Amino acid sequence: MNRSELTVDLGALRRNVTTLRRALGRAELWAVVKADGYGHGAPDVARAALEAGASALCVATVAEGLALRRDFPDRRILVMGPADAADAREARLELTIADGRIPEGVRCHLKLDTGMGRYGLSELPEPPASVVGLMTHLATADTDVSFAERQVELFLEATAPYAHLTRHAANSAAALRLPSARLDAARCGVALYGLSPFGSDPADDGLEPVLRWQSRLAQVKRLDVGESTGYGRQFMAQSPTWIGIVPVGYADGFRRDLTGTEVLVDGERRRVVGTISMDSFAVELDRELPVGSTVVLLGDGLRAEEHARVAGTINYELVCGIGAGSTATRADRKVVDA
Ligand SMILES: *Cc1c(COP(=O)(O)O)cnc(C)c1O
């Protein structure tokens, strides 16, 4: 094993797709695999999601779309961010139009701003023939249901004359808990990966985390009273204390603000102490353990949502930072189908 090992479980991803499709009923599930599949590896998760019944892929950029087009010559791929039509046309990517001219010869989705206050048209023009879909994006599907429902109402009103086009508004949170937003298709990202869009336990919505991250103790030592570990001497032993050093740090995506979170050492929850370095961090032990003992950073019941809470961020940002799909990642990567 390298310094750490990431495991992407496509079986779990397929089961999450099934859970979402069951919630969605007749609405299609479109798999959002931007940012390299939320750090999990876009080609692998895209393949598994399509096999499990997703009917299109969604990305943020044309470059992401072009990369996927090589692996999936015949699948629908929607670019959700601003893009140049000329680049998209040849690769048969579908485009999101949020302002300006509507291009011809490329399948377009008109995006209406109903309250996100970001990309989007403030009024819907008469859709020309190149338009196949109408969409909006919800600002509060995870936090404020009544505002989200208001956005859906505005969207339905504005798009009523064009109900023959594919209308889509829902993200993961809306797909799971906001029936009025499901419409013709839902663009689901975070839930595919078994992460909760609500920052709660994914199991509450029948979701299973896809990513597991494991390392081991590289060194074990005893600190005497008054001795410290790491930069700035932020953790000082109040009594004789065993600590383990884990060869993973913020350069691997184990962020500096994760001090205080827990990891599983030999299956038991232990607290991360001291300043997290670029390549290592320390964990407080209750006894001397052998070097090489397993340390689970994510998975086996240790959830990204817990780490996110400690770091004052969201699970989305955490997994994107680990970059399990990137060839530049410093961890070994394994794809399984359990
Ligand atoms: C990222 C994104 C989604 C997916 O959101 P999740 O919360 O991850 O399901 C849906 N629609 C748009 C426009 C997005 O940018």
Side-chain angles (χ1 to χ4, degrees), residues 32 34 38 80 111 118 135 137 170-173 187-191 197 316:
V32 179
K34 62 191 178 189
Y38 291 43
M80 300 188 297
K111 184 171 186 177
R118 207 175 59 174
M135 63 192 280
H137 196 33
N171 53 10
S172 295
R187 308 179 304 267
C188 296
V190 83
Y316 295 69

Side-chain angles (χ1 to χ4, degrees), residues 71-219:
D71 291 327
F72 306 99
D74 304 317
R75 294 305 197 139
R76 292 183 71 180
I77 301 174
L78 170 62
V79 178
M80 300 188 297
D84 190 50
D87 299 336
R89 198 172 280 124
E90 199 183 340
R92 291 164 291 111
L93 304 178
E94 299 181 23
L95 289 185
T96 299
I97 307 302
D99 63 12
R101 206 177 57 79
I102 303 167
E104 285 162 20
V106 53
R107 286 153 68 95
C108 293
H109 299 245
L110 300 184
K111 184 171 186 177
L112 192 63
D113 183 5
T114 56
M116 181 64 149
R118 207 175 59 174
Y119 296 122
L121 302 155
S122 40
E123 261 174 70
L124 201 61
E126 174 85 29
S130 59
V131 173
V132 298
L134 301 173
M135 63 192 280
T136 195
H137 196 33
L138 304 175
T140 64
D142 54 333
T143 50
D144 181 347
V145 168
S146 66
F147 187 79
E149 278 175 339
R150 181 74 195 123
Q151 279 196 263
V152 174
E153 276 167 32
L154 288 172
F155 180 64
L156 287 176
E157 260 167 50
T159 60
Y162 315 112
H164 58 289
L165 298 172
T166 302
R167 293 191 288 179
H168 47 108
N171 53 10
S172 295
L176 290 165
R177 298 198 191 171
L178 194 71
S180 66
R182 288 170 190 154
L183 310 183
D184 299 317
R187 308 179 304 267
C188 296
V190 83
L192 293 177
Y193 308 100
L195 300 167
S196 169
F198 312 102
S200 51
D201 185 345
D204 294 348
D205 291 282
L207 302 170
E208 241 181 276
V210 169
L211 193 62
R212 185 172 183 281
W213 192 11
Q214 176 184 312
S215 184
R216 64 199 147 70
L217 294 180
Q219 189 164 16

